[in-house]
Amino acid sequence: MGLFDDDFYSTKVPRREGRGQEPPKVLTSRNWSARKSRRSLATWQVSVISSVISAVVAVLLFSLATGQLTQEKAEQPKVIEKVTASSGDPYERIVQAAALVRPAVVSIINHKEDNKELNILDESALGSGVIYKKDDNKAFIITNNHVIEGFGKLEVVTVDGETRKATLVGTDKVSDIAVLSIDAKGITTVAQIGDSSKLRFGETVIAIGNPLGLGDSLTSGIVSYTERTIPVSLNQDGVYDWEQEVIQTDAAINEGNSGGALVDLDGKVIGINTMKISDTGVEGLGFAIPANHVMETAGELEANGKIARSYLGVYSVDLNNPYVPLAEDQRKELNLPTTVKDGVVVLDAVGPAKDAGLQFNDVITKFDNEPITSTLSLRKYLYDHTKIGDDLKITYYRNGEVKQVTVKLLEKQKE
């Protein structure tokens, strides 16, 4: 016996035998004659009864049908009349977005300068770039400052494999942005720049670039965080002296991807890939500079070749740095009141700071009555809240005594 009785699935009527069971009756001509002799209804009666039954059945069926339709209509979900840009097939949209921006992404080769004294040729550095603008004679490319840093000869390889000589237009170490130019002949595609301020958590993005020299490569992921602040060391000395505002993504970004495009599903560049966190047990932490910041910097670099920033002229260490704390004898030498916990200790003063009288072991605590707690906050205040030529009021301590001085800020020269 199976799980179900075989009779459940059989179309045959089973033969059942057993004692006490009567054999099936057989319809004979006698029986037929007997039934036939019974009184039958008149034709008009049959017609009337049939009409009544048909009407009742029709009414019941109509009521049932309309009721069911009404119920089904009530249960239907609301139809979205307008499909948003992010609700399409993501895989097909990745293909379309990549095809749109791919011709505008280039590989960059930085042939670094020869070390003639030691007879050493530095290994070429690889990176990526994005063609964002074109005029009659030149095409302009955005990349990272660290891609072209220490350059000797710069070359750009287009998506079709053509190698062109590149010229540095301008670069900025703080924002890690550089602009190059190449001959515009044959350049037919310029990347569309999107609005990075409209990015959303979880939005699908793609990264296009030249990872490990494997040019014209594509990876995909999502926006893990829209506005992440990452501390960076501009001089690579292990001391964080700047903060970079970045887009966090889990799209794979490797060496050589720097300067490449982070693209949304509309095929618009919403960031320039700049770095990743590479450590044991760490995966999927890549970062891109938001397009809105990039374009603001690129415009000034294209016009002036540099970013003009205010210059104070102090070299300093943090009074309260948990990673590089001051020795106890150094703190005693400063002779600070116990209430002073944070500030910036001046190691050397040059330029405007020296002219204003600042000197070794002065401890800066305020700019224009705003607290200065570290070298990072000092730099951010100068770059974000002052202009070249401004008068800056500085509050500082010298040998335990609070003092104030006004400094006229000059333009920061190239480091």
Side-chain angles (χ1 to χ4, degrees):
M1 179 66 69
L3 183 61
F4 297 101
D5 190 342
D6 289 342
D7 285 350
F8 184 82
Y9 292 102
S10 177
T11 59
K12 297 180 180 180
V13 177
R15 179 180 295 176
R16 303 185 185 277
E17 297 180 354
R19 295 182 179 179
Q21 287 184 332
E22 297 182 359
K25 294 183 179 180
V26 178
L27 186 62
T28 63
S29 59
R30 181 180 178 182
N31 292 340
W32 173 253
S33 301
R35 292 185 180 183
K36 189 175 182 181
S37 64
R38 295 178 183 175
R39 183 180 179 182
S40 59
L41 296 175
T43 302
W44 67 271
Q45 291 176 318
V46 174
S47 302
V48 170
I49 293 173
S50 298
S51 300
V52 172
I53 293 174
S54 299
V56 172
V57 171
V59 170
L60 290 175
L61 290 176
F62 179 79
S63 300
L64 181 61
T66 54
Q68 183 67 25
L69 288 175
T70 303
Q71 183 179 2
E72 289 180 357
K73 185 176 182 181
E75 292 176 354
Q76 284 181 346
K78 186 177 180 180
V79 177
I80 301 176
E81 296 179 356
K82 184 178 180 181
V83 179
T84 60
S86 61
S87 62
D89 178 3
Y91 301 106
E92 180 60 29
R93 295 192 68 197
I94 287 176
V95 173
Q96 295 176 2
L100 186 63
V101 75
R102 176 173 165 260
V105 179
V106 299
S107 299
I108 296 176
I109 305 174
N110 178 3
H111 300 281
K112 294 191 175 182
E113 294 180 337
D114 296 347
N115 191 332
K116 296 180 179 179
E117 294 181 359
L118 299 178
N119 196 26
I120 295 175
L121 177 64
D122 289 342
E123 185 177 336
S124 297
L126 301 175
S128 308
V130 180
I131 302 173
Y132 74 97
K133 181 180 178 181
K134 176 188 172 185
D135 59 21
D136 294 335
N137 301 315
K138 295 180 180 179
F140 294 91
I141 299 170
I142 296 171
T143 187
N144 289 138
N145 171 77
H146 72 262
V147 169
I148 58 88
E149 199 167 25
F151 74 95
K153 182 177 70 171
L154 297 172
E155 289 181 333
V156 165
V157 183
T158 60
V159 71
D160 56 7
E162 182 182 356
T163 300
R164 303 187 182 208
K165 179 183 177 181
T167 302
L168 179 63
V169 175
T171 186
D172 179 53
K173 190 171 187 177
V174 174
S175 63
D176 197 24
I177 293 295
V179 174
L180 311 179
S181 67
I182 59 174
D183 184 1
K185 184 178 179 181
I187 300 298
T188 58
T189 303
V190 174
Q192 299 181 47
I193 307 300
D195 185 352
S196 56
S197 67
K198 295 182 178 179
L199 280 177
R200 298 167 297 167
F201 288 97
E203 186 171 339
T204 300
V205 289
I206 57 179
I208 304 178
N210 180 32
L212 306 179
L214 303 173
D216 197 21
S217 292
L218 167 70
T219 57
S220 67
I222 62 170
V223 173
S224 305
Y225 204 86
T226 57
E227 296 178 352
R228 179 74 70 191
T229 300
I230 299 293
V232 295
S233 175
L234 296 177
N235 297 318
Q236 301 296 314
D237 58 0
V239 178
Y240 295 133
D241 45 17
W242 188 245
E243 287 181 338
Q244 185 77 273
E245 294 182 10
V246 291
I247 302 165
Q248 181 182 330
T249 177
D250 67 350
I253 295 176
N254 293 290
E255 184 178 352
N257 269 118
S258 292
L262 189 69
V263 185
D264 65 16
L265 289 185
D266 291 325
K268 295 182 178 180
V269 177
I270 45 83
I272 296 298
N273 301 319
T274 185
M275 67 180 115
K276 65 175 290 187
I277 294 180
S278 179
D279 201 355
T280 303
V282 177
E283 291 185 10
L285 284 177
F287 303 97
I289 306 172
N292 292 8
H293 297 175
V294 171
M295 296 312 298
E296 182 178 351
T297 303
E300 190 170 345
L301 289 176
E302 185 184 334
N304 305 318
K306 62 180 180 179
I307 303 298
R309 292 190 175 93
S310 302
Y311 177 61
L312 175 60
V314 293
Y315 296 90
S316 61
V317 294
D318 297 347
L319 177 63
N320 184 21
N321 188 328
Y323 304 104
V324 190
L326 292 178
E328 191 63 31
D329 59 337
Q330 291 175 309
R331 283 185 170 272
K332 287 182 179 179
E333 188 177 347
L334 298 176
N335 195 28
L336 289 171
T338 57
T339 55
V340 179
K341 304 295 183 181
D342 297 304
V344 171
V345 182
V346 176
L347 299 180
D348 192 15
V350 297
K354 182 178 180 180
D355 294 341
L358 289 175
Q359 61 188 30
F360 175 71
N361 269 1
D362 286 347
V363 180
I364 298 173
T365 57
K366 291 181 181 180
F367 281 172
D368 294 333
N369 297 322
E370 292 294 326
I372 298 299
T373 59
S374 64
T375 300
L376 174 60
S377 65
L378 181 151
R379 191 186 298 262
K380 286 185 71 68
Y381 189 91
L382 283 176
Y383 292 175
D384 295 343
H385 301 286
T386 68
K387 301 187 299 296
I388 298 168
D390 283 354
D391 290 329
L392 178 67
K393 184 173 70 174
I394 300 176
T395 301
Y396 65 99
Y397 283 84
R398 177 178 294 170
N399 196 26
E401 183 180 351
V402 64
K403 296 177 177 292
Q404 286 189 337
V405 66
T406 299
V407 178
K408 182 172 287 293
L409 300 174
L410 302 180
E411 180 178 351
K412 181 176 177 62
Q413 301 301 310
K414 184 177 180 180
E415 295 181 358

